[in-house]
Amino acid sequence: KNEVEQSPQNLTAQEGEFITINCSYSVGISALHWLQQHPGGGIVSLFMLSSGKKKHGRLIATINIQEKHSSLHITASHPRDSAVYICAVRMNTGNQFYFGTGTSLTVIP
Amino acid sequence: DAGVIQSPRHEVTEMGQEVTLRCKPISGHNSLFWYRQTMMRGLELLIYFNNNVPIDDSGMPEDRFSAKMPNASFSTLKIQPSEPRDSAVYFCASSFALLDRGNEQYFGPGTRLTVT
């Protein structure tokens, strides 16, 4: 059983669509990270959340601690958003990190 | 700032050889993380340091793996002896964080290791 589950695994969208990627986790956490991995392999940290909501440009991340769930939203999607999005959580006891398997997003022009 | 610097970017070696991966974190950051990524297992945290001290190495797969951080600007991940199953991309990341609080991590470009 994975401590972090992401859905969907793969997602194809038309340019301009609103996109939602979900992350559910089963452990108590101190923080949740959303990472973006570009087709070339580079990884960028998009958000770190411990509560509420954060927004950066067209990206919005929310977290519900009680429901152990987080969502990453992309508004007005663009082909350059095509990447793998990875959810990662840091446990609130000990120092373990757990990673989702990623959501592969393709935005078609 | 140049960001997190890793070297080499690619390494091909034969089974049994020693491999040393290097990382220079962003200046001023006090936390450093070593990750491994494979197709089978995805992204995994191997070890992380805070103020040059290893905090959690429970992700290190076995005794063949060791990591050091002799100072705030340099860390190494060593595999000795290497095995084909160690083939992966190894990422280093750094952040500025207090011990019990996370923060945004900045990733290096990764080292692609192939062990034949």
Side-chain angles (χ1 to χ4, degrees):
Chain A
K1 179 185 178 300
N2 288 337
E3 287 78 6
V4 180
E5 299 278 355
Q6 283 186 239
S7 64
Q9 278 193 302
N10 298 285
L11 180 57
T12 301
Q14 286 291 134
E15 183 174 357
E17 283 186 16
F18 180 83
I19 288 163
T20 296
I21 300 171
N22 296 299
C23 175
S24 297
Y25 53 91
S26 58
V27 295
I29 69 168
S30 60
L32 181 144
H33 296 253
W34 280 104
L35 309 174
Q36 179 193 52
Q37 187 164 30
H38 294 285
I43 296 177
V44 174
S45 175
L46 298 176
F47 295 104
M48 190 205 72
L49 295 162
S50 54
S51 65
K53 176 179 168 178
K54 284 189 176 180
K55 183 175 189 292
H56 185 255
R58 295 180 295 106
L59 302 178
I60 303 167
T62 63
I63 188 168
N64 185 317
I65 297 293
Q66 286 72 31
E67 294 185 2
K68 292 187 166 61
H69 181 267
S70 175
S71 292
L72 176 68
H73 305 286
I74 305 175
T75 61
S77 59
H78 190 276
R80 65 174 175 266
D81 298 326
S82 299
V84 175
Y85 293 83
I86 301 169
C87 172
V89 301
R90 179 177 180 172
M91 286 184 66
N92 58 7
T93 55
N95 297 296
Q96 271 298 308
F97 279 77
Y98 293 104
F99 295 86
T101 52
T103 294
S104 178
L105 171 66
T106 302
V107 181
I108 300 170
Chain B
D1 199 314
V4 176
I5 299 172
Q6 289 187 249
S7 65
R9 294 292 305 274
H10 301 273
E11 176 82 30
V12 180
T13 190
E14 290 184 349
M15 183 173 67
Q17 296 297 307
E18 177 179 298
V19 174
T20 299
L21 311 181
R22 296 172 175 80
C23 177
K24 178 177 165 54
I26 291 173
S27 177
H29 283 186
N30 65 348
S31 295
L32 183 141
F33 305 78
W34 280 103
Y35 295 93
R36 175 173 71 174
Q37 186 176 39
T38 62
M39 289 293 291
M40 288 293 294
R41 300 173 67 90
L43 201 57
E44 304 171 278
L45 176 66
L46 300 178
I47 184 171
Y48 81 91
F49 296 83
N50 186 267
N51 294 323
N52 311 339
V53 175
I55 301 301
D56 190 326
D57 65 356
S58 59
M60 296 283 261
E62 49 197 275
D63 290 346
R64 298 184 296 107
F65 286 67
S66 63
K68 294 182 179 180
M69 192 163 186
N71 57 62
S73 59
F74 183 66
S75 177
T76 59
L77 177 68
K78 187 175 292 187
I79 308 172
Q80 166 63 20
S82 58
E83 297 181 3
R85 61 194 167 114
D86 302 330
S87 298
V89 180
Y90 291 82
F91 289 98
C92 175
S94 72
S95 72
F96 178 76
L98 298 176
L99 186 61
D100 60 345
R101 287 176 171 267
N103 211 335
E104 302 282 355
Q105 294 183 22
Y106 294 80
F107 283 76
T111 294
R112 183 173 294 277
L113 173 65
T114 303
V115 183
T116 60

